[in-house]
């Protein structure tokens, strides 16, 4: 099993190219199931979750290939889907597999989808997906670990989810594009990846208004056609590199990055004393001195993202002063705390709150990645720790970050992948 070996204490200097967003790529790959025409996506990140999704689509009979000449380009053709099924052995590692449910049901009138797996960061039920599709006329049963869904043709409906759910909004949005009549999604998630998905669907012939707000209106059409689309930059990868430079010190330009999707994170970094400039498609970050401790609370977009909580906690570990970190989205999202403590961090957890007292120096140790996004926190801590840090179980990292160690090495980090 691969590990990362990090020798801390190096400043970061240079440029990093930000990859396409994982959380946009996965639903957009699934959206290709909505049409018999070819769909082409560019800026597709090279991630394990993307590879799993491509394998899942191929298992259904779709063609899904990444270009060798242009690795960020993926060509999709779902004209010959033979099996509208997502089996357990293909989806057990990835919760986003639920995103095939809406497209399959909308286009083929049936779907058999295993209840998904993924990170062990807490309960993320799919009941909102099921409730919404049932409101659109689907007959759905859950048996033997599978969702069995049927509908001659979905009907438009007004759907108000009990909670804000990103994948639920995406699934229902995709399903509604081929439903008969109008669908209105109330309490819709507003994360930037949702309007990006909507823009692909519109390019395919869908009629959608209000994407990016809490109320999305969709007029169903008879069929969708092929399209080409460039995936939005990954705001979580962007924020992770911002935190890495803020912690380790240095001066780095992030290319293909969008500051307008990271307002809450950038505001907190500036509060910590980090210098950040931004323009069209770039962000420059300078970490010149020890950062100041900053308290924050996670919440739905546009508030501070839960996917950046662990990275910012790593920054607070070596910051000047004390901070309070409150997690409101997932009930088990402090698993990285024990790993940071192994590196010398001073953190006390009480329920959904972590109190962090910054220390002047961390020391290298053997730690492990605990879940997909939080796996970056021991990497950031290892960049500033004295001596060697070994990060184990980095398959979590490979699910969410496109060649992170290569990008960090390119800006001066002493980091390598070892067996």
């Amino acid at each position: 099993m691969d590990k990362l070996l990090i020798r801390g204490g190096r400043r970061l200097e240079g440029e990093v190219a930000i990859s396409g967003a994982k959380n946009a790529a996965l639903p957009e790959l699934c959206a290709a199931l909505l049409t018999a025409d070819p769909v082409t996506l560019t800026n597709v990140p090279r991630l394990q979750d993307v590879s799993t999704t491509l394998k899942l689509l191929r298992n259904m009979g779709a063609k899904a290939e990444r270009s060798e000449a242009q690795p960020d380009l993926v060509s999709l053709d779902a004209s010959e889907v033979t099996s509208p099924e997502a089996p357990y052995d293909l989806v057990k590692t990835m919760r986003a597999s639920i995103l095939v449910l809406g497209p399959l049901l909308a286009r083929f009138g049936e779907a058999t989808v295993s209840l998904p797996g993924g990170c062990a960061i807490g309960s993320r039920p799919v009941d909102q997906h099921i409730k919404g599709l049932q409101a659109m006329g689907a007959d759905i049963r859950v048996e033997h670990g599978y969702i069995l869904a049927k509908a001659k043709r979905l009907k438009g409906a007004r759907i108000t989810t009990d909670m804000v759910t990103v994948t639920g909004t995406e699934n229902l949005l995709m399903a509604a594009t081929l439903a008969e009549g109008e669908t209105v999604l109330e309490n819709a998630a507003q994360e930037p990846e949702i309007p990006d998905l909507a823009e692909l669907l519109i390019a395919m012939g869908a009629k959608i208004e209000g994407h990016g707000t809490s109320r999305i209106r969709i007029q169903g059409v008879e069929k969708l056609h092929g399209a080409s689309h460039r995936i939005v930059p990954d705001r979580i990868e962007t924020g992770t590199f911002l935190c890495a430079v803020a912690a380790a010190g240095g001066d780095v330009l992030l290319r293909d990055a969008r500051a307008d999707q990271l307002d809450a994170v950038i505001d907190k970094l500036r509060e910590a004393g980090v210098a950040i400039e931004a323009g069209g498609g770039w962000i420059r970050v300078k970490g010149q001195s020890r950062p100041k401790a900053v308290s924050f609370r996670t919440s739905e977009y546009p508030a501070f993202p839960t996917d950046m909580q662990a990275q910012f906690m790593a920054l607070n570990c070596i910051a000047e002063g004390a901070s309070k970190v409150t997690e409101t989205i997932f009930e088990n999202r402090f698993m990285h705390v024990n790993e940071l403590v192994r590196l010398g961090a001073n953190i006390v957890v009480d329920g959904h709150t972590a109190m962090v007292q910054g220390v002047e120096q961390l020391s290298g140790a053997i730690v492990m990645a605990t879940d997909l996004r939080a796996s970056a926190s021991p990497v950031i801590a290892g960049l500033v720790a004295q001596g060697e840090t070994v990060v184990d179980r980095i398959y979590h990292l490979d699910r969410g970050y496109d060649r992170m160690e290569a990008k960090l090495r390119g800006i001066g980090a002493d980091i390598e992948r070892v067996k």
Side-chain angles (χ1 to χ4, degrees), residues 71-119:
D72 76 326
L73 185 149
V74 170
S75 301
L76 303 146
D77 183 343
S79 59
E80 297 180 12
V81 169
T82 53
S83 174
E85 179 178 346
Y88 173 73
D89 63 336
L90 280 176
V91 307
K92 61 186 177 183
T93 63
M94 186 182 70
R95 185 178 181 277
S97 56
I98 192 69
L99 289 166
V100 301
L101 177 61
L104 288 174
L105 189 57
R107 181 166 160 226
F108 300 102
E110 61 176 320
T112 301
V113 179
S114 170
L115 290 169
C119 294

Side-chain angles (χ1 to χ4, degrees), residues 295-318:
S295 297
F296 62 93
R297 178 186 184 91
T298 66
S299 192
E300 290 86 1
Y301 188 87
F304 196 96
T306 180
D307 279 355
M308 282 300 305
Q309 177 253 106
Q311 299 90 310
F312 221 95
M313 189 184 288
L315 180 64
N316 274 336
C317 287
I318 52 93

Side-chain angles (χ1 to χ4, degrees), residues 353-367:
T353 301
M355 303 301 298
V356 186
Q357 177 64 54
V359 298
E360 289 193 16
Q361 185 65 59
L362 298 174
S363 58
I366 299 174
V367 293

Side-chain angles (χ1 to χ4, degrees), residues 130-153:
I130 293 171
K131 174 187 169 185
L133 292 170
Q134 285 174 329
M136 298 168 76
D139 175 28
I140 299 179
R141 307 189 318 276
V142 178
E143 294 179 0
H144 309 297
Y146 278 83
I147 300 168
L148 309 174
K150 289 191 174 181
K152 285 189 177 178
R153 187 182 179 190

Side-chain angles (χ1 to χ4, degrees), residues 12-30:
L12 305 177
E13 311 274 350
E15 294 188 8
V16 171
I18 297 301
S19 300
K22 177 188 86 79
N23 288 345
L26 300 184
E28 288 168 23
L29 290 168
C30 296

Side-chain angles (χ1 to χ4, degrees), residues 269-383:
L269 284 168
R270 285 178 172 150
E271 191 180 327
V274 180
I276 296 178
E277 305 168 47
W282 61 270
I283 303 173
R284 186 177 182 185
V285 54
K286 295 181 184 178
Q288 305 296 357
S289 58
R290 187 180 176 192
K292 300 179 184 69
V294 175
S295 297
F296 62 93
R297 178 186 184 91
T298 66
S299 192
E300 290 86 1
Y301 188 87
F304 196 96
T306 180
D307 279 355
M308 282 300 305
Q309 177 253 106
Q311 299 90 310
F312 221 95
M313 189 184 288
L315 180 64
N316 274 336
C317 287
I318 52 93
E320 186 178 342
S323 58
K324 178 180 177 182
V325 176
T326 305
E327 173 61 53
T328 72
I329 306 297
F330 294 121
E331 70 271 18
N332 195 22
R333 206 160 203 184
F334 284 146
M335 292 189 298
H336 52 279
V337 167
N338 288 339
E339 307 309 307
L340 294 174
V341 169
R342 284 181 56 78
L343 295 166
N346 183 350
I347 308 170
V348 177
V349 174
D350 181 10
H352 295 290
T353 301
M355 303 301 298
V356 186
Q357 177 64 54
V359 298
E360 289 193 16
Q361 185 65 59
L362 298 174
S363 58
I366 299 174
V367 293
M368 67 179 181
T370 55
D371 66 71
L372 191 151
R373 293 300 192 179
S375 58
S377 63
V379 175
I380 292 171
L383 293 174

